Amino acid sequence: MDIIGLRRRSLPWTGLSALFVVSMLAACESIGAEHFRDHVNEATQVKVADRYGAPHRLERLADGREVWTYFERGSGTASYSGYVTGGSCRAYTLIFDQQGVLRDWKEDPCSP
């Protein structure tokens, strides 16, 4: 009981955990190969930028096409020794035509 005589109501720990996970998933959208594969020849630069933000790297080709690169870095965990293990990085390279339509893409590990 608190000062005014009412019991405090709280979510059980599992409810709080689930709420936290859902809010974290909603807060950040992972880049996924499925999205690019399913939207070749229809996704535009505007739609991609709305979904993932500005590209991490942008290259304009002489023929008017643009190459956008996004990097998705996974988190690692630190061991007792202090070294981080398990981190990963994927590079998504997107090629847009002169009209800004996604025409091709590839996924690679990030280069050092």
Side-chain angles (χ1 to χ4, degrees):
M1 298 265 235
D2 65 6
I3 296 173
I4 58 173
L6 297 175
R7 285 194 179 146
R8 291 180 187 218
R9 293 183 180 221
S10 63
L11 293 173
W13 177 248
T14 55
L16 287 173
S17 299
L19 183 62
F20 176 76
V21 169
V22 169
S23 65
M24 291 305 292
L25 289 173
C28 64
E29 181 152 1
S30 177
I31 296 174
E34 300 84 24
H35 178 77
F36 300 129
R37 179 183 61 240
D38 294 344
H39 292 92
V40 169
N41 297 324
E42 67 179 57
T44 64
Q45 289 173 320
V46 171
K47 292 206 182 255
V48 171
D50 283 348
R51 184 171 179 144
Y52 300 111
H56 299 123
R57 184 183 307 154
L58 175 107
E59 180 184 356
R60 289 185 173 89
L61 303 178
D63 63 3
R65 294 181 300 158
E66 288 189 4
V67 179
W68 290 14
T69 305
Y70 289 93
F71 298 100
E72 183 175 54
R73 291 177 173 84
S75 61
T77 57
S79 65
Y80 288 111
S81 65
Y83 292 101
V84 176
T85 59
S88 64
C89 180
R90 305 297 299 164
Y92 296 89
T93 304
L94 313 176
I95 301 172
F96 294 93
D97 67 11
Q98 297 85 344
Q99 289 74 40
V101 177
L102 178 65
R103 295 300 178 190
D104 199 10
W105 70 278
K106 68 178 181 172
E107 174 185 3
D108 292 309
C110 297
S111 55

